Every structure is written in C-alpha cells, then in structure tokens.
Amino acid sequence: MITFDPSKYDGFIFDCDGTLADSMPLHYQAWSETLALKLGRPSDFTESLFYHFGGMPARQIVERLNHDFGYGLPVEQTAHEKEMRFVELLPGIGPVPEVIDVLNRLGLDAKVAVASGGLTEIVRETLLFLNLSVGPKEKIKFLIGSDQVTHGKPHPELFLRAAELLGIEPKRCLVFEDAEPGFVAAKAAGMDYIDVRPFRATGLHAAARY
C-alpha cells in the first residue's frame, strides 16, 4: 500500500502510463510493430531502452532513435503511426491497482491532475478504459498532455502547468511517477514524488525495474 501524509500537500499529480494504467507493455508493442514496419526489420529499440525513455513524448523518442541509430525516420509520421497502433491495442489495457487505490482514497474535493508525456486525447482514452473521467466534478480535475506544453519530461513544464491549473504552489504538490524522466521533472519543479514501481505487487515487467 502506498502511504503518505496528505496534510503535507494541497495538490496531487499522477502520471498515466505505468502509473495509473498498466499500459507500458502495450506502448512497447506499438513501438516495436511500428518501427519494424518503417524499417523493414526489427529495430534496435530494446525494451530496457524503452523504459529508460519512459514519459518522453513520442516525437522526442523518434528524434532520439534517429540520432542514436541513424534511422532517418520521419518524426511526426512515425510518432503518429505509433500512437494510432497503441489506440488499437487499448482494449488490452488494465489498471495499476496500487495507484488507483491512492486515487480512490483522495476525496472528491481533492485537487488532482494527470500530467502525461502522451498526447492529451490518447491519454483521455486510456483513462476512460480505466473508468476514469476528467472534469471539475470528477476525481481528476485536469489532464495535461505533451501537446499542451513546449517541453516534455524530463523538463518540469508539464508538472508546473498542472500546479498552475490546480492553483497550487509546486512545493505543495505530490507527484506519482514510474520512470526516471518523470522523477527528474518532479525534482526540477520543486515537487516531492513517489516512485510507484516498488509498490506494484504484480505485473511489472522486469525491464521496468532498471
């Protein structure tokens, strides 16, 4: 069970993929299939490297792959095709129960946002598969995706934007994350964070434990 002192915080910010949603294996499947189609062969994008990039926007990942492996892939097109393949795989998604439990323990009047490296509408669809909606009368008040900011994680802009929308000082926000870029972003934003990975009882792929 994830424990913390709620009196220390006025706002709570959750990552989505790998934190609320057990979606990282599906994202990696989408990457693997998309890159293989684009390259005509299996890519060099290993699962451990994928988890190392956790939280980065798709276009930024394509840029890194082009730089590191000399692929020359069209950035926007490749990122779009990967995201569309992920949407096709969404019916296979499940929750991360230990983090959903945290969300359920917060009152309906709690100031809660989701800040994700994914595209806003795809993250919204992901949340809907978990029976989670976003809105002023919902548990999650705001959703901030990578298309709403200039810089994705590990830059702090996503989290700072979430704090701004919640009307909370960054130092009074607690972040729930599962990947190093998110931890770096939270620290840069001046926020405390909880690494949810040690609390996941089942289903955490070995590559996610780097």
Side-chain angles (χ1 to χ4, degrees):
M1 182 177 179
I2 300 174
T3 60
F4 56 94
D5 180 0
S7 68
K8 290 178 59 178
Y9 306 102
D10 298 318
F12 304 91
I13 302 172
F14 293 81
D15 176 47
C16 180
D17 295 305
T19 299
L20 287 168
D22 188 16
S23 52
M24 295 299 273
L26 296 183
H27 274 291
Y28 183 64
Q29 181 181 342
W31 275 116
S32 296
E33 294 175 0
T34 301
L35 292 173
L37 284 172
K38 303 292 283 186
L39 297 169
R41 60 174 176 83
S43 76
D44 302 282
F45 194 25
T46 64
E47 196 160 13
S48 60
L49 183 57
F50 162 70
Y51 278 106
H52 184 71
F53 286 168
M56 287 187 184
R59 67 177 318 279
Q60 189 175 333
I61 290 176
V62 179
E63 290 171 349
R64 287 289 300 270
L65 294 175
N66 281 343
H67 177 270
D68 293 350
F69 300 111
Y71 286 160
L73 294 166
V75 174
E76 298 296 342
Q77 179 185 350
T78 304
H80 175 75
E81 290 177 9
K82 177 267 165 182
E83 297 292 10
M84 292 304 97
R85 178 58 183 141
F86 174 73
V87 170
E88 292 174 350
L89 295 170
L90 266 177
I93 206 168
V96 178
E98 297 83 359
V99 183
I100 297 294
D101 174 66
V102 172
L103 189 62
N104 289 337
R105 279 157 35 207
L106 296 173
L108 192 58
D109 59 344
K111 296 192 174 183
V112 177
V114 168
S116 170
L119 298 174
T120 302
E121 291 312 309
I122 293 178
V123 177
R124 194 184 306 276
E125 284 191 55
T126 302
L127 293 173
L128 286 173
F129 269 91
L130 303 179
N131 295 314
L132 296 173
S133 299
V134 179
K137 296 183 179 180
E138 305 292 340
K139 183 66 68 75
I140 301 169
K141 304 299 188 288
F142 298 100
L143 166 59
I144 306 94
S146 61
D147 49 317
Q148 296 186 47
V149 296
T150 303
H151 306 288
K153 303 170 189 176
H155 194 280
E157 186 179 1
L158 267 170
F159 290 146
L160 292 174
R161 177 60 176 154
E164 179 184 9
L165 288 171
L166 291 171
I168 304 296
E169 289 185 66
K171 66 181 180 181
R172 294 288 297 176
C173 291
L174 178 63
V175 172
F176 297 86
E177 261 285 359
D178 72 301
E180 187 65 28
F183 307 150
V184 173
K187 286 186 283 189
M191 301 176 181
D192 290 345
Y193 69 88
I194 291 177
D195 178 356
V196 304
R197 293 174 300 177
F199 299 95
R200 293 188 58 174
T202 59
L204 183 62
H205 193 282
R209 300 181 185 277
Y210 68 91

